[in-house]
């Protein structure tokens, strides 16, 4: 059983509902469990490469660290400045108590972000784009016009990156210095994008793509028993865990 | 709704473009963030780029001028960003929905008739406010001290107004002048807006 076989729409719905459920609780235990659970699924039940997991985890950890320090210094109610944190042991008890309250907030925020990242990375590395769009068409009634339009646009991405390099080189050759997000470059690329959209639409329609007529599908994705099982386990763990911890006073 | 394949492709391809620009910016944001992190302001580093994040909605609303343009553009952009790969995955779709609602709400209030600079400014402001409410709930910003949130909000507002009003309108008008947006509602009315 591999995570790649899960129905993409179900996977997406579980993650969206899970994210909303996580947003209304502050238990570090729940957040860490979600993060570790998804990472374990990724390592043991998917074909994701370790290297690509790390490549996505790194920015997630950086963002979590940023949120951690923001919570540590600027939590609402008992904020501490950076200077007063330097010699913690010399500080009076009240200040250290405030710091520990802040530490709790900081951990709550940072672990929640990691829980989101765990789910997001799991989805990203186990979901094929085409399968996602096909599944959105069959399970979520996305119209084929939007589905194939999205796919066509995404598949233009490599051309877009190449184009970006060419446009910048063209400006440099004429002695015009352009920054990485110069409006001149964006404008030139927008011009090309609109021309592409016209030619791609024309190409699709001339090859018989018609969005109004009923059509047949080569790939049809279905919801299977293991999709339901996945949804029950993940959402059960998040919602059940939150409810259990609410019943135990003093749990974090 | 009367959406042509060409319109969908235009929005989707522009969403890919804005997505690429935004991804480039978040890398810069990540670098600034690691410098600001020891000061506790790491999350502030991403705020100057929020305007680029909202650009798909602003551009679609301004060019297409049809009910639903902002919402559909942002959901498309969010699906595309999910496909392009980032660590938030499909959770982006939640924030995309919120952003799209920001612009859509203002344009709907004006009955899809007014598209002047003031409307776009109001859209950018509402979009910033909506996303901040989203951050308060989903990112847990309700636990952060209010003065810090105010600083973040101000940076986000400035970024939204610069990118989604001045840059977006400038780009769209440039495209009209280049004769590229002939099939869209914007091309007939851009001169009227310029006169205001």
């Amino acid at each position: 059983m591999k995570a790649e076989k899960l129905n993409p729409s179900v996977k997406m719905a579980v993650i969206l509902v899970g994210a909303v459920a996580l947003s209304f609780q502050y238990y570090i235990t729940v957040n860490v469990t979600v993060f570790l659970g998804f990472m374990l699924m990724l390592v043991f039940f998917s074909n994701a490469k370790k290297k690509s997991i790390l490549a996505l985890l790194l920015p997630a950890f950086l963002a979590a660290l940023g949120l951690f320090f923001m919570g540590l210094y600027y939590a609402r109610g008992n904020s501490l400045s950076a200077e007063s944190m330097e010699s913690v042991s010399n500080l009076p008890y009240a200040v250290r108590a405030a710091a520990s309250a802040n530490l709790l907030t900081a951990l709550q925020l940072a672990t929640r972000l990691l829980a989101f990242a765990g789910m997001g990375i799991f989805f990203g590395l186990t979901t094929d784009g085409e399968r996602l769009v096909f599944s959105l068409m069959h399970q979520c009634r996305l119209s084929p016009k939007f589905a194939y339009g999205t796919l066509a646009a995404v598949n233009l991405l490599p051309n877009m990156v190449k184009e970006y390099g060419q446009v910048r080189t063209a400006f440099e050759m004429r002695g015009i210095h352009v920054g990485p997000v110069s409006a001149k470059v964006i404008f030139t690329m927008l011009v090309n994008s609109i021309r592409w959209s016209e030619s791609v639409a024309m190409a699709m329609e001339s090859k018989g793509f018609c969005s109004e007529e009923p059509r047949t599908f080569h790939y049809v994705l279905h919801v299977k028993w293991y999709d339901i099982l996945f949804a029950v386990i993940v959402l059960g763990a998040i919602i059940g865990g939150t409810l259990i911890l609410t019943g135990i006073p003093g749990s974090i | 709704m009367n959406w042509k394949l060409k319109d969908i492709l235009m929005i989707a391809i522009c969403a890919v473009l804005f997505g690429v620009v935004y991804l480039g910016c978040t890398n810069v944001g990540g670098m600034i963030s690691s410098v600001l992190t020891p000061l506790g302001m790491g999350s502030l580093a991403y705020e100057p780029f929020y305007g680029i994040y909202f650009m798909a909605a602003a551009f679609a609303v301004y060019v297409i001028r049809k009910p639903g343009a902002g919402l559909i553009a942002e959901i498309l952009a969010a699906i595309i960003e999910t496909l392009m790969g980032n660590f938030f995955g499909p959770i982006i779709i939640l924030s995309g929905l919120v952003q799209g609602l920001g612009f859509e709400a203002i344009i709907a209030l004006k009955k899809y008739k007014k598209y002047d600079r003031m409307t776009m400014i109001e859209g950018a402001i509402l979009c910033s406010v909506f996303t901040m409410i989203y951050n308060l709930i989903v990112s847990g910003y309700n636990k952060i001290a209010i003065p810090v949130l105010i600083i973040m909000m101000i940076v986000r507002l400035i970024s939204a107004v610069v990118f989604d009003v001045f840059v977006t309108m400038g780009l769209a008008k440039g495209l009209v002048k280049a004769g590229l947006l002939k099939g869209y509602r914007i091309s007939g009315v851009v001169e009227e807006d310029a006169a205001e």
Side-chain angles (χ1 to χ4, degrees):
Chain A
M1 185 66 226
K2 293 278 182 192
E4 279 84 357
K5 283 183 82 175
L6 290 170
N7 184 291
S9 297
V10 174
K11 221 190 296 183
M12 188 155 102
V14 167
I15 290 174
L16 289 180
V17 176
V20 174
L22 283 176
S23 304
F24 290 97
Q25 57 83 40
Y26 293 95
Y27 294 113
I28 297 168
T29 325
V30 174
N31 292 339
V32 172
T33 311
V34 169
F35 173 70
L36 290 179
F38 275 98
M39 283 298 117
L40 288 177
M41 273 197 273
L42 207 47
V43 172
F44 292 111
F45 297 103
S46 85
N47 299 325
K49 292 191 191 90
K50 306 269 180 310
K51 219 172 147 186
S52 34
I53 301 178
L54 286 178
L56 283 169
L57 265 181
L58 189 71
F61 268 110
L62 275 181
L65 202 66
L67 208 52
F68 174 81
F69 278 102
M70 184 172 258
L72 194 60
Y73 296 153
Y74 304 109
R76 189 172 298 177
N78 33 23
S79 292
L80 279 182
S81 71
E83 293 75 37
S84 61
M85 286 297 293
E86 273 165 11
S87 49
V88 168
S89 55
N90 304 327
L91 291 171
Y93 173 75
V95 178
R96 272 183 283 155
S100 74
N102 277 7
L103 184 66
L104 184 64
T105 308
L107 283 173
Q108 285 167 341
L109 298 188
T111 54
R112 183 191 284 179
L113 195 143
L114 283 181
F116 287 166
M119 300 198 291
I121 295 170
F122 172 79
F123 184 89
L125 294 181
T126 62
T127 312
D128 175 58
E130 268 183 41
R131 268 174 58 94
L132 170 65
V133 173
F134 289 146
S135 156
L136 284 176
M137 247 188 314
H138 294 124
Q139 268 82 49
C140 306
R141 311 224 164 264
L142 180 74
S143 98
K145 239 188 321 190
F146 284 97
Y148 289 105
T150 310
L151 271 186
V154 173
N155 287 326
L156 276 176
L157 184 62
N159 296 42
M160 190 86 76
V161 175
K162 203 174 133 206
E163 184 81 21
Y164 177 72
Q166 282 176 352
V167 170
R168 289 200 57 187
T169 316
F171 275 112
E172 297 286 348
M173 274 174 68
R174 278 176 273 155
I176 304 166
H177 181 71
V178 282
V181 275
S182 143
K184 276 184 200 137
V185 176
I186 297 180
F187 182 77
T188 316
M189 293 191 65
L190 261 180
V191 171
N192 293 331
S193 299
I194 288 163
R195 290 210 174 116
W196 275 339
S197 71
E198 279 165 4
S199 8
V200 172
M202 211 181 281
M204 284 168 78
E205 273 159 0
S206 68
K207 296 237 165 144
F209 180 84
C210 182
S211 39
E212 271 71 42
E213 302 287 316
R215 54 183 296 130
T216 55
F217 297 95
H218 183 55
Y219 289 109
V220 181
L221 284 91
H222 298 285
V223 178
K224 299 268 174 59
W225 63 269
Y226 45 74
D227 296 312
I228 313 282
L229 185 70
F230 171 77
V232 170
I233 292 177
V234 173
L235 296 179
I238 296 176
I239 297 167
T242 308
L243 290 179
I244 291 170
L245 288 177
T246 316
I248 307 169
S251 46
I252 53 167
Chain B
M1 215 178 301
N2 181 24
W3 280 71
K4 282 187 225 132
L5 181 64
K6 195 186 78 164
D7 305 346
I8 296 169
L9 277 166
M10 198 272 274
I11 290 303
I13 294 176
C14 291
V16 173
L17 171 60
F18 294 137
V20 171
V21 176
Y22 178 69
L23 276 183
C25 291
T26 45
N27 291 338
V28 180
M31 280 187 270
I32 307 173
S33 172
S34 45
V35 178
L36 289 178
T37 290
L39 303 171
M41 292 302 245
S43 300
L44 183 68
Y46 297 101
E47 297 290 330
F49 309 113
Y50 261 79
I52 302 177
Y53 203 19
F54 308 154
M55 257 172 108
F59 187 76
V61 157
Y62 192 63
V63 170
I64 300 232
R65 307 194 172 196
K66 275 183 191 172
L71 261 181
I72 290 174
E74 269 303 337
I75 295 172
L76 270 186
I79 294 178
I80 286 167
E81 274 162 50
T82 311
L83 292 176
M84 279 159 63
N86 66 72
F87 63 81
F88 276 124
I91 299 169
I92 297 275
I93 295 174
L94 279 183
S95 56
L97 207 67
V98 172
Q99 293 168 18
L101 268 179
F103 277 99
E104 200 67 43
I106 286 291
I107 312 286
L109 264 181
K110 306 208 169 178
K111 302 202 169 70
Y112 299 98
K113 281 189 181 130
K114 258 188 119 179
Y115 292 90
D116 55 351
R117 180 173 290 144
M118 204 53 221
T119 313
M120 293 304 285
I121 291 177
E122 286 161 6
I125 292 173
L126 202 65
C127 195
S128 310
V129 172
F130 278 11
T131 52
M132 191 44 113
I133 295 172
Y134 170 88
N135 284 141
L136 284 176
I137 300 167
V138 176
S139 319
Y141 281 12
N142 61 325
K143 294 240 170 190
I144 300 289
I146 290 166
V148 178
L149 292 180
I150 292 175
I151 298 172
M152 291 173 98
M153 191 69 216
I154 291 171
V155 177
R156 187 177 301 191
L157 277 173
I158 294 171
S159 164
V161 170
V162 168
F163 285 109
D164 304 323
V165 181
F166 294 100
V167 175
T168 300
M169 286 175 81
L171 285 173
K173 282 176 185 165
L175 289 171
V176 171
K177 269 184 209 143
L180 280 154
L181 295 175
K182 287 229 172 75
Y184 298 96
R185 292 224 177 127
I186 182 184
S187 57
V189 277
V190 85
E191 277 75 31
E192 291 170 39
D193 286 351
E196 276 180 43

